[in-house]
Amino acid sequence: MSLLNRIDEKDPAIIGQELYRFAGALYPICRSITGDGIRRTLSMIGERIHLEISELPTGTPVFDWTVPKEWNIRDGYIRVPGGNRVVDFQKSNLHVLGYSMPVHATMSLDKLRPHLYTIPEHPDWIPNKTSYYQPQWGFCLSEHQMRALEDREYEVCIDSTLSDGHLTYGECYLPGRTSAEVLISCHACHPSLANDNLSGLTVATALAESLSGCNLRYSYRFLFIPGTIGAIAWLAKNREATQRIRHGLVLTCLGDSSNFHYKKSRQGNAEVDRAASHVLRHYAGSNGILEFSPYGYDERQYCSPGFNLAVGCLMRSLPGVFPEYHTSADDLEFIHPAQLAGSLRICAAIFDVLEHNQRFRNLNPYCEPQLGRRNLFRATGGDSIGLETNARLWALNLSDGEHSLLDIAERSGIRFSVIREAAVLLMENGLLAPLPVTDSHTSVETGGSPAGVRARGGILPD
Amino acid sequence: MSLLNRIDEKDPAIIGQELYRFAGALYPICRSITGDGIRRTLSMIGERIHLEISELPTGTPVFDWTVPKEWNIRDGYIRVPGGNRVVDFQKSNLHVLGYSMPVHATMSLDKLRPHLYTIPEHPDWIPNKTSYYQPQWGFCLSEHQMRALEDREYEVCIDSTLSDGHLTYGECYLPGRTSAEVLISCHACHPSLANDNLSGLTVATALAESLSGCNLRYSYRFLFIPGTIGAIAWLAKNREATQRIRHGLVLTCLGDSSNFHYKKSRQGNAEVDRAASHVLRHYAGSNGILEFSPYGYDERQYCSPGFNLAVGCLMRSLPGVFPEYHTSADDLEFIHPAQLAGSLRICAAIFDVLEHNQRFRNLNPYCEPQLGRRNLFRATGGDSIGLETNARLWALNLSDGEHSLLDIAERSGIRFSVIREAAVLLMENGLLAPLPVTDSHTSVETGGSPAGVRARGGILPD
Amino acid sequence: MSLLNRIDEKDPAIIGQELYRFAGALYPICRSITGDGIRRTLSMIGERIHLEISELPTGTPVFDWTVPKEWNIRDGYIRVPGGNRVVDFQKSNLHVLGYSMPVHATMSLDKLRPHLYTIPEHPDWIPNKTSYYQPQWGFCLSEHQMRALEDREYEVCIDSTLSDGHLTYGECYLPGRTSAEVLISCHACHPSLANDNLSGLTVATALAESLSGCNLRYSYRFLFIPGTIGAIAWLAKNREATQRIRHGLVLTCLGDSSNFHYKKSRQGNAEVDRAASHVLRHYAGSNGILEFSPYGYDERQYCSPGFNLAVGCLMRSLPGVFPEYHTSADDLEFIHPAQLAGSLRICAAIFDVLEHNQRFRNLNPYCEPQLGRRNLFRATGGDSIGLETNARLWALNLSDGEHSLLDIAERSGIRFSVIREAAVLLMENGLLAPLPVTDSHTSVETGGSPAGVRARGGILPD
């Protein structure tokens, strides 16, 4: 049974509610690229899936970068001395510039102003801003709050610490029949922003839950990491291991109401690029396929020229393009249970293509085999054939050892799952034989499986 | 002289009438995949061209299939016992389900009904249905006839035989200067249906007539065969010989009023695919070029992965798409003399491209040769050059040994015949030399021709 | 500094006026493919740039052609005997058919008429016609002049000589750091026609002036030649030397008010084709990219199959297409200072791409380098990056040794100069290293430059 079928056995409304509830539980945490916020987040994910936590000390060199000091924050505000807070970290963790140095001072509005950030075109929204590598402090507030500030003295306080500590990330590894890997990566460093990227975290967690215990062709590695520095740190610590990565997806912005977008890997025509494009077209009615570009999320690192991994990025709305991006408007109302559930389905459909994409050999390559006497063709001449029969003809015609099921799905314009069902049926009828899955690098069976399983290639027995 | 020129010497109206008359003569015969109907059809074709008839006994294994029993029918009807026939095979041979077992019984309308086939959305038309491999009997009738049936007892009679016999097909082989072959295949198994496929039969017969006695580069093999089982049987009996096939066309539905369609071979960019596409564009103003798919007519067998021959399918309306397909409405009024003649021309134009497509070498490759002093350029500077001069410049510029005349026609956007005339003229003026036609497999001169003819390649001397 | 930057330091209005004034000075001269007109033209160009003049004697064989007799003309007219001239060479040198044999006779209008050429659809315009290789004489006149001719005797006189002499052309060679060449060719054989091709002559002259004294990667060769026979003669005399030509442009029709067109070389995807297409798109907002065809100007000869040089043709209006082409309406009012200056800029931009197109190697290929600490990234997280940062990310991501700067510009959709500036900045910051410019044929440094210069490849030091 395919992963998508397993998911579809459950009520999608229930799946959506579960995902949304988990996003809601993670929402209040003040995350950053280091510190207790991301630790707590990983801990909550670790209650659902087996997560291995790594901690790299401040100062660890990772390629051209260095693990920064750990940042933690307890409070932050601007207030009239002795009066009420006019900007209050307790009300929204976006109010403090991420990685702000500690400060406690009284100063005039004029002195304060260079430390204040707003979005004039959306006067109700608080921007999300950070300064990881340049020591600064600052507050983010709505334009309305800004305009209400009087020209007077204010007490400003950021009760934060920037000190030697660790960079923390979590990994969930699900072993498959081969050591060849599918990488799923999502950034876990944003504070109270829902679409970017609680949506990615919750969908990735649910995917790992769904895959657990499946008989999988590939091994799956889920990374829950701080953006940029986390991906760089992981790659630096796992440089050799990246050779096992066959396919990968960065997951972000998967909860809003937009249709899907898939940004291709740097390779541009990798199997994951073709699988994701096929799935978007055939399962989501979307042609939102974008060419690779070197700006974006952590695909930037996975697709740097030294690695050049086959890692694309799946999104709904495009980060940096939708107005709510990196503002307080990217809240729990901006994401929806049904959209989260739909994203889970699309990821599962992509994995299904990767899991089951293989080549077959037509055992009757000279002319068509007589499908009729095997009850694989409509019986009475003169009617048009249906989609299933058509898929069988395609699978027979192109199973010459050169074409994979995905190739056949693309050339025929028929959904992968229908082609795959046709191939399985033809195999069961002795008309197709699976070709061994060859993997040039490390596709070694992880032991224990009899040779027969290997010969059956990627066909999941369950 | 090109084949198209030879055809164009005759009045197209006369050609059309001849084709149409022959279709009319073949129309009444009740054909099926075996039996006397196809024998009589082949006999009538054999009066026009030299046809070699093959008969394979029932039970002969042909790849995954077996030659079925031979079917013959003399009569069939439904009538009120002792009364008039309400459905009568003598009025239309479509009335009996093809390959019906014999039956003679009296039964209620309720018992009869599962054996009756109509087309409710076209209540005047009789469908054409068959059951070659599942023993059944049945009647096809119009929806109006069906509705007029009263709820009473009927005498039903199908006076058919299904017994050991033969599968019959005809072959016309026209030897050319080389043993490399062009295959033309058309199915001859349909009863009184005009477009599908008396149109193909008559056009193929006329093509064979036209090619007879020509000095041909290729040998031509015309197959008049029952659909599917006939192509499979021929391929099974001629498996080695298929290596000689360079190009091929399945001809069907060539008499209706639609513009042309060409369905590419499985190879997709074979020379016949490019030639047919060029001809449709430049000679018929049609862009009806379709990608290969494994459902259709006998290209399914020729393009099965074990053979993967360069065989496409030329049609006007698409089988299975036009409403009259496989109904009594596909009658002699549905096809037209002018359309049959036009189809003959287009086939001839495709053959002309195949016959004359070759590569030349520019004997003055450094700069243009001075065409003016050879009277091959317009004389007075300052005027624009005409199509002929332009074709000469293209032929000179691209005759580097890499480009065939078809390549040049495609890149220049100029009709093949104009490019070819330019090349011949330049050759006659000592500016181009033909390159030997190399054929990796079996393009052996069939003896007798002097070496000089071979060096001249595909240029027809007449 | 790029060539374009050097040009942009001057007021474009002044550049345009200079170009236009020079075109005005050349306009009155009666040029042809041989004779004193082209000699005087080359002499005036030689006052501005160093021009080496070659003279080939009449009768010299050049490939399939022969250098024709030299043509000179002093006067020509049609007049009523003893009366006024009704057609007068002194008023327009277009009035005499180019290469007219001498004639002095009195004849009836009927006898004269076959020697007269007009343009009925533009009754005010005089056509430009020639007969280089067929001995003829004739007059070109406006349709109005023609209609005014009475049916009577006329004195016709063409005071020309056609005698053994020379074919003359000029060459300006600007040595660069390598002997690999860029060829710029323009025809100098047309009489008083402004766009075709005083525009090409003046732009080419100004380009040679601008390049003089620059530290150039390529050597530049400017040809000022009679069309067709001049290009053929030059190629015949320099057959071996053509192996040094890496890129080339034919310049013609560059003064009118149309946007640009670039006709690709026969190779179709040569570096100059890609450079010119990029420049037209990004610097002139033009998508006027035309496929190669063997009719046109001297790209016909450079792209003949024996040479197949990477030479395209840059134009504004297309020769032979705009109505004023080869008529008296192609006069000094048809061309404009601003358009000439704009053409100079576009040529310079194309040269800039060729000069600076090279490959780099990312010295930090594993993950992104930390641009922030080098002040190469915007400082505060959460803002969108600008074009410059984006160009840096592209240059880093694709500098894998496979992609040139032009490849990166094309894939990113960013203007070449922005990509190049990014690469230079990254190189200065130790993040990119230039790869040695490898040139399979003759890209030998012309001596004197230290090895370090060579390693820096095409980066102009100034």
Side-chain angles (χ1 to χ4, degrees), chain C residues 237-289:
Chain C
K237 294 294 153 194
N238 297 276
R239 187 162 156 179
E240 288 307 310
T242 58
Q243 293 179 17
R244 290 197 295 266
I245 298 172
R246 292 293 165 281
H247 322 285
L249 282 179
V250 169
L251 300 183
T252 186
C253 297
L254 288 168
D256 66 87
S257 54
S258 164
N259 206 335
F260 290 95
H261 291 89
Y262 174 76
K263 173 181 158 182
K264 291 185 190 174
S265 76
R266 181 181 186 272
Q267 296 177 25
N269 201 28
E271 194 174 343
V272 68
D273 298 327
R274 297 172 57 220
S277 301
H278 179 84
V279 165
L280 258 58
R281 232 176 359 252
H282 285 269
Y283 295 71
S286 163
N287 280 311
I289 312 300

Coordinates of all heavy atoms in Angstrom, one line a residue, chain C residues 237-289:
Chain C
K237 N 42.7 35.5 -49.3 CA 44.0 35.9 -49.0 C 44.4 35.6 -47.6 O 45.6 35.7 -47.2 CB 44.2 37.5 -49.2 CG 44.0 37.9 -50.7 CD 45.2 37.3 -51.5 CE 44.8 37.1 -53.0 NZ 45.7 36.3 -53.7
N238 N 43.4 35.3 -46.7 CA 43.7 35.1 -45.3 C 43.1 33.8 -44.8 O 42.6 33.8 -43.6 CB 43.1 36.3 -44.5 CG 43.7 37.6 -44.9 OD1 44.8 38.0 -44.3 ND2 43.1 38.3 -45.8
R239 N 43.1 32.8 -45.6 CA 42.4 31.6 -45.3 C 42.9 31.0 -44.0 O 42.1 30.6 -43.1 CB 42.6 30.6 -46.4 CG 41.8 29.4 -46.3 CD 41.7 28.6 -47.6 NE 41.4 27.2 -47.4 CZ 41.3 26.4 -48.3 NH1 41.3 26.8 -49.6 NH2 41.0 25.1 -48.1
E240 N 44.2 30.9 -43.8 CA 44.8 30.4 -42.6 C 44.4 31.2 -41.4 O 44.1 30.7 -40.3 CB 46.3 30.2 -42.7 CG 46.7 29.1 -43.6 CD 46.1 27.8 -43.3 OE1 46.1 27.4 -42.1 OE2 45.5 27.1 -44.2
A241 N 44.5 32.6 -41.6 CA 44.3 33.5 -40.5 C 42.9 33.4 -39.9 O 42.7 33.8 -38.8 CB 44.6 34.9 -41.0
T242 N 42.0 32.9 -40.7 CA 40.6 32.8 -40.2 C 40.5 31.9 -39.0 O 39.6 32.0 -38.2 CB 39.6 32.3 -41.2 OG1 40.0 31.0 -41.7 CG2 39.6 33.3 -42.4
Q243 N 41.5 31.0 -38.8 CA 41.5 30.2 -37.6 C 41.6 30.9 -36.3 O 41.3 30.4 -35.2 CB 42.6 29.1 -37.7 CG 42.3 28.1 -38.9 CD 43.4 27.1 -39.0 OE1 44.2 26.9 -38.1 NE2 43.5 26.5 -40.2
R244 N 42.1 32.1 -36.4 CA 42.2 32.9 -35.2 C 40.9 33.6 -34.8 O 40.8 34.2 -33.7 CB 43.3 34.0 -35.4 CG 44.7 33.4 -35.4 CD 45.7 34.5 -35.2 NE 45.7 35.5 -36.2 CZ 46.5 35.5 -37.3 NH1 47.4 34.6 -37.5 NH2 46.5 36.5 -38.2
I245 N 40.0 33.6 -35.7 CA 38.7 34.4 -35.4 C 37.8 33.6 -34.5 O 37.4 32.5 -34.8 CB 38.0 34.7 -36.8 CG1 38.9 35.6 -37.7 CG2 36.6 35.3 -36.5 CD1 38.3 35.8 -39.1
R246 N 37.6 34.2 -33.3 CA 36.7 33.6 -32.3 C 35.3 34.1 -32.5 O 34.3 33.3 -32.2 CB 37.2 33.9 -30.9 CG 38.5 33.4 -30.5 CD 38.5 31.8 -30.4 NE 39.8 31.4 -30.4 CZ 40.6 31.2 -31.5 NH1 40.1 31.5 -32.7 NH2 41.8 30.8 -31.4
H247 N 35.1 35.3 -32.8 CA 33.8 36.0 -32.8 C 33.8 37.0 -33.9 O 34.9 37.6 -34.2 CB 33.5 36.7 -31.5 CG 34.0 36.0 -30.2 ND1 33.4 34.9 -29.7 CD2 35.1 36.3 -29.4 CE1 34.0 34.5 -28.6 NE2 35.1 35.3 -28.4
G248 N 32.7 37.3 -34.4 CA 32.6 38.3 -35.5 C 31.2 38.9 -35.6 O 30.2 38.3 -35.3
L249 N 31.3 40.2 -36.1 CA 30.0 40.9 -36.3 C 30.1 41.6 -37.7 O 31.1 42.2 -38.0 CB 29.8 42.0 -35.3 CG 29.3 41.6 -33.9 CD1 29.2 42.9 -33.1 CD2 27.9 40.9 -34.0
V250 N 29.1 41.4 -38.5 CA 28.9 42.2 -39.7 C 28.0 43.4 -39.2 O 27.0 43.2 -38.6 CB 28.2 41.4 -40.8 CG1 27.8 42.3 -41.9 CG2 29.2 40.4 -41.3
L251 N 28.4 44.6 -39.6 CA 27.6 45.8 -39.1 C 27.0 46.5 -40.3 O 27.7 46.8 -41.3 CB 28.6 46.8 -38.4 CG 29.3 46.3 -37.2 CD1 30.1 47.4 -36.5 CD2 28.3 45.8 -36.2
T252 N 25.7 46.6 -40.3 CA 25.0 47.3 -41.4 C 23.7 47.8 -40.9 O 23.1 47.3 -40.0 CB 24.8 46.3 -42.6 OG1 24.3 47.0 -43.7 CG2 23.8 45.2 -42.2
C253 N 23.2 48.9 -41.6 CA 21.9 49.5 -41.3 C 21.7 49.8 -39.8 O 20.8 49.3 -39.2 CB 20.8 48.6 -41.8 SG 20.8 48.3 -43.6
L254 N 22.6 50.6 -39.3 CA 22.6 50.9 -37.9 C 22.2 52.3 -37.5 O 22.4 52.8 -36.4 CB 24.0 50.6 -37.3 CG 24.3 49.1 -37.2 CD1 25.8 48.8 -36.9 CD2 23.4 48.4 -36.1
G255 N 21.7 53.1 -38.5 CA 21.4 54.5 -38.2 C 19.9 54.8 -38.2 O 19.5 55.9 -37.8
D256 N 19.0 53.9 -38.6 CA 17.6 54.2 -38.7 C 16.9 54.1 -37.4 O 17.6 53.8 -36.4 CB 16.9 53.3 -39.8 CG 16.9 51.9 -39.4 OD1 15.9 51.5 -38.7 OD2 17.8 51.2 -39.7
S257 N 15.6 54.4 -37.4 CA 15.0 54.5 -36.1 C 14.4 53.2 -35.5 O 13.7 53.2 -34.5 CB 13.9 55.6 -36.2 OG 13.0 55.2 -37.2
S258 N 14.7 52.1 -36.2 CA 14.2 50.8 -35.7 C 15.0 50.3 -34.5 O 16.1 50.8 -34.2 CB 14.3 49.8 -36.8 OG 14.2 48.5 -36.3
N259 N 14.4 49.4 -33.7 CA 15.1 48.8 -32.7 C 16.1 47.8 -33.3 O 16.0 47.6 -34.5 CB 14.2 48.1 -31.7 CG 14.8 47.9 -30.3 OD1 16.1 47.9 -30.2 ND2 14.0 47.8 -29.3
F260 N 16.9 47.1 -32.5 CA 17.9 46.3 -33.1 C 17.4 44.9 -33.5 O 16.5 44.3 -32.9 CB 19.0 46.1 -32.0 CG 19.8 47.3 -31.8 CD1 19.5 48.2 -30.8 CD2 20.9 47.7 -32.7 CE1 20.2 49.3 -30.5 CE2 21.6 48.9 -32.4 CZ 21.3 49.7 -31.4
H261 N 18.2 44.4 -34.5 CA 18.0 43.0 -34.9 C 19.4 42.3 -34.9 O 20.4 43.0 -35.2 CB 17.4 42.8 -36.2 CG 16.0 43.2 -36.3 ND1 15.6 44.5 -36.6 CD2 14.8 42.5 -36.1 CE1 14.3 44.5 -36.5 NE2 13.8 43.3 -36.2
Y262 N 19.5 41.1 -34.4 CA 20.7 40.4 -34.6 C 20.5 39.0 -35.3 O 19.6 38.3 -34.8 CB 21.4 40.1 -33.2 CG 22.6 39.2 -33.3 CD1 23.8 39.7 -33.7 CD2 22.5 37.9 -33.0 CE1 24.9 38.9 -33.8 CE2 23.6 37.0 -33.1 CZ 24.8 37.6 -33.5 OH 25.9 36.8 -33.7
K263 N 21.2 38.8 -36.3 CA 21.0 37.6 -37.1 C 22.2 36.6 -36.6 O 23.3 37.0 -36.7 CB 21.1 37.8 -38.6 CG 21.1 36.6 -39.4 CD 21.2 37.0 -40.9 CE 21.8 35.9 -41.8 NZ 21.9 36.3 -43.2
K264 N 21.8 35.5 -36.1 CA 22.8 34.6 -35.6 C 23.7 34.0 -36.7 O 23.4 34.0 -37.9 CB 22.1 33.4 -34.9 CG 21.3 33.7 -33.7 CD 20.8 32.4 -33.1 CE 19.8 32.6 -32.0 NZ 19.3 31.3 -31.6
S265 N 24.9 33.6 -36.2 CA 25.8 32.9 -37.1 C 25.2 31.6 -37.5 O 24.3 31.1 -36.9 CB 27.2 32.7 -36.4 OG 27.0 31.7 -35.5
R266 N 25.8 31.0 -38.5 CA 25.4 29.6 -38.9 C 25.5 28.6 -37.8 O 24.7 27.7 -37.7 CB 26.3 29.2 -40.1 CG 26.0 27.8 -40.7 CD 27.0 27.5 -41.8 NE 26.7 26.3 -42.5 CZ 27.2 25.1 -42.2 NH1 27.9 25.0 -41.1 NH2 26.9 24.1 -43.0
Q267 N 26.5 28.8 -36.9 CA 26.6 27.9 -35.7 C 25.4 28.0 -34.8 O 25.0 27.0 -34.2 CB 27.9 28.2 -34.9 CG 29.2 28.0 -35.7 CD 30.4 28.4 -34.9 OE1 30.4 28.4 -33.6 NE2 31.5 28.8 -35.5
G268 N 24.8 29.2 -34.7 CA 23.5 29.3 -34.1 C 23.6 29.5 -32.6 O 22.7 30.1 -32.0
N269 N 24.6 28.9 -31.9 CA 24.7 29.1 -30.5 C 26.1 29.5 -30.1 O 26.6 29.1 -29.0 CB 24.2 27.9 -29.7 CG 23.9 28.2 -28.3 OD1 23.5 29.3 -28.0 ND2 24.0 27.2 -27.4
A270 N 26.8 30.2 -31.0 CA 28.2 30.6 -30.7 C 28.2 31.6 -29.6 O 27.1 32.2 -29.3 CB 28.8 31.2 -32.0
E271 N 29.3 31.8 -29.0 CA 29.4 32.8 -27.9 C 28.9 34.2 -28.3 O 28.2 34.9 -27.6 CB 30.8 32.8 -27.4 CG 30.9 33.6 -26.0 CD 32.3 33.4 -25.4 OE1 33.1 32.6 -25.9 OE2 32.7 34.2 -24.5
V272 N 29.3 34.6 -29.6 CA 28.9 35.9 -30.0 C 27.3 35.9 -30.2 O 26.7 37.0 -30.0 CB 29.6 36.3 -31.3 CG1 29.2 35.5 -32.5 CG2 29.3 37.8 -31.6
D273 N 26.8 34.8 -30.6 CA 25.3 34.8 -30.7 C 24.6 35.0 -29.4 O 23.7 35.7 -29.2 CB 24.9 33.4 -31.3 CG 25.4 33.2 -32.7 OD1 25.5 34.2 -33.5 OD2 25.7 32.0 -33.1
R274 N 25.2 34.3 -28.4 CA 24.6 34.4 -27.0 C 24.9 35.8 -26.4 O 24.0 36.4 -25.8 CB 25.2 33.3 -26.1 CG 24.8 31.9 -26.6 CD 25.5 30.8 -25.9 NE 25.2 31.0 -24.5 CZ 26.1 30.8 -23.5 NH1 27.3 30.4 -23.8 NH2 25.8 30.9 -22.2
A275 N 26.1 36.3 -26.7 CA 26.4 37.7 -26.2 C 25.5 38.7 -26.8 O 25.0 39.6 -26.1 CB 27.9 38.0 -26.4
A276 N 25.4 38.7 -28.1 CA 24.5 39.7 -28.8 C 23.1 39.5 -28.4 O 22.4 40.6 -28.1 CB 24.7 39.5 -30.3
S277 N 22.6 38.3 -28.2 CA 21.2 38.1 -27.8 C 21.0 38.7 -26.4 O 20.0 39.4 -26.1 CB 20.8 36.7 -27.8 OG 21.0 36.1 -29.1
H278 N 22.0 38.4 -25.5 CA 21.9 38.9 -24.1 C 21.9 40.5 -24.1 O 21.1 41.1 -23.4 CB 23.1 38.4 -23.3 CG 23.1 38.9 -21.9 ND1 22.4 38.3 -20.9 CD2 23.7 40.0 -21.3 CE1 22.5 39.0 -19.8 NE2 23.4 40.0 -20.0
V279 N 22.8 41.0 -24.9 CA 22.9 42.5 -24.9 C 21.6 43.1 -25.5 O 21.1 44.1 -25.0 CB 24.2 42.9 -25.7 CG1 24.1 44.4 -26.0 CG2 25.4 42.6 -24.9
L280 N 21.1 42.6 -26.6 CA 19.9 43.1 -27.2 C 18.8 43.1 -26.1 O 18.0 44.1 -26.0 CB 19.5 42.4 -28.5 CG 19.9 43.2 -29.7 CD1 21.4 43.4 -29.8 CD2 19.4 42.4 -31.0
R281 N 18.6 42.0 -25.4 CA 17.6 41.8 -24.5 C 17.7 42.8 -23.3 O 16.8 43.4 -22.9 CB 17.5 40.4 -24.0 CG 16.2 39.7 -24.1 CD 16.1 38.3 -23.7 NE 17.4 37.7 -23.3 CZ 18.0 36.8 -24.0 NH1 17.6 36.4 -25.2 NH2 19.1 36.2 -23.5
H282 N 19.0 42.8 -22.8 CA 19.2 43.5 -21.5 C 19.6 45.0 -21.6 O 19.4 45.7 -20.7 CB 20.2 42.8 -20.7 CG 19.7 41.5 -20.0 ND1 19.1 41.5 -18.8 CD2 19.6 40.2 -20.5 CE1 18.7 40.3 -18.5 NE2 19.0 39.5 -19.5
Y283 N 20.1 45.3 -22.8 CA 20.6 46.7 -23.0 C 19.7 47.5 -24.0 O 19.8 48.7 -24.0 CB 22.0 46.8 -23.4 CG 23.0 46.2 -22.4 CD1 23.1 44.8 -22.1 CD2 23.9 47.0 -21.7 CE1 24.0 44.3 -21.2 CE2 24.8 46.5 -20.8 CZ 24.8 45.2 -20.5 OH 25.7 44.7 -19.6
A284 N 18.9 46.8 -24.8 CA 18.1 47.5 -25.8 C 16.7 47.1 -25.8 O 15.9 47.5 -26.6 CB 18.7 47.2 -27.2
G285 N 16.3 46.2 -24.9 CA 14.9 45.8 -24.8 C 14.4 45.1 -26.0 O 13.2 45.2 -26.3
S286 N 15.3 44.5 -26.8 CA 14.9 43.9 -28.1 C 15.0 42.4 -28.1 O 15.9 41.9 -27.6 CB 15.8 44.5 -29.2 OG 15.7 43.7 -30.4
N287 N 13.9 41.8 -28.6 CA 14.0 40.4 -28.8 C 14.2 40.0 -30.3 O 13.8 39.0 -30.8 CB 12.7 39.7 -28.3 CG 12.8 39.5 -26.8 OD1 13.8 39.0 -26.3 ND2 11.8 40.0 -26.1
G288 N 14.7 41.0 -31.0 CA 14.9 40.8 -32.5 C 16.0 39.9 -32.9 O 16.9 40.3 -33.6
I289 N 15.9 38.6 -32.4 CA 17.0 37.7 -32.7 C 16.5 36.8 -33.8 O 15.5 36.1 -33.7 CB 17.3 36.8 -31.4 CG1 17.5 37.7 -30.2 CG2 18.5 35.9 -31.7 CD1 18.6 38.7 -30.3

